[in-house]
Amino acid sequence: MENFRKVRSEEAPAGSGAEGGSPGSGPFADLAPGAVHMRVKEGSKIRNLMAFATASMAQPATRAIVFSGCGGATTKTVTCAEILKRRLAGLHQVTRLRYRSVREVWESLPPGPTPALAPGEPAASLSVLKNVPGLAILLSKDALDPRQPGYQPPNPHPGPSSPPAAPTAKRSLGDPAAGEGSAKRLQPEPGATVEDRTA
């Protein structure tokens, strides 16, 4: 593909993808009308997404939020959902994997340093249809059906998953901790004689 450059990327029509349903329905067809939909993209800043999501879920009228992302944004999608689950306890989760069809249009580069096409002569183009994996995560304050695939119940113990570290005793900079050896090499004091050690 070194002789081609990408001109545009567009989502393929809804009938050609494996996503199913109408383009607006998404993976969760029976979602309440007040649900917030967050589209996570590769260039999205997590702090911006989380500020909006936290503020939205703090409102009593908002009962559910959906994070969705595809391609390189799937890891950010999971990160956003996990951060929100830690901030707000008692959220039920349903995760759905889906595929989006993306059509990329590539134009051929003319050979040579700066050749120009004759007026009216179209460049040769190539159209590629890709199935890009995507992820949609529904977080709800209301209980969801635990029998549906991808369901996760709320975490009974929100907060860090690892136990807190035990407090350590303070020590001075020169003293090694208990059980540690000194990393410094012992040097004789200036003016002291060094004994010859032959054993």
Side-chain angles (χ1 to χ4, degrees):
M1 298 292 281
E2 67 237 12
N3 296 329
F4 286 85
R5 69 180 169 95
K6 186 167 30 171
V7 178
R8 68 182 175 273
S9 243
E10 57 196 25
E11 198 163 329
S16 63
E19 193 171 290
S22 65
S25 70
F28 305 105
D30 56 348
L31 210 55
V36 177
H37 188 108
M38 303 286 293
R39 281 200 173 190
V40 182
K41 298 184 178 180
E42 288 183 44
S44 300
K45 301 283 185 202
I46 291 178
R47 69 174 173 265
N48 296 342
L49 293 167
M50 294 314 303
F52 183 79
T54 306
S56 297
M57 288 298 280
Q59 298 173 359
T62 306
R63 304 302 299 165
I65 188 166
V66 176
F67 288 99
S68 65
C70 64
T74 53
T75 54
K76 277 189 184 182
T77 305
V78 172
T79 301
C80 288
E82 292 298 323
I83 290 172
L84 191 62
K85 281 175 28 180
R86 284 184 182 230
R87 287 186 183 173
L88 302 173
L91 293 177
H92 297 263
Q93 176 179 340
V94 175
T95 306
R96 299 261 168 91
L97 177 66
R98 59 188 181 156
Y99 289 91
R100 274 198 178 156
S101 295
V102 176
R103 184 178 310 279
E104 292 180 347
V105 178
W106 296 72
E107 278 186 358
S108 66
L109 296 173
T114 56
L117 293 173
E121 180 184 343
S125 65
L126 178 67
S127 181
V128 179
L129 185 67
K130 288 182 171 181
N131 281 332
V132 180
L135 196 62
I137 301 174
L138 167 66
L139 296 174
S140 175
K141 294 178 183 175
D142 302 323
L144 300 171
D145 182 13
R147 293 171 294 169
Q148 61 182 322
Y151 174 78
Q152 290 182 20
N155 187 1
H157 306 288
S161 59
S162 62
T168 57
K170 294 194 178 212
R171 59 184 174 97
S172 66
L173 294 175
D175 297 335
E180 287 182 11
S182 176
K184 288 186 177 180
R185 185 183 211 189
L186 295 178
Q187 305 251 339
E189 296 203 16
T193 60
V194 179
E195 297 177 10
D196 185 28
R197 296 186 183 194
T198 56

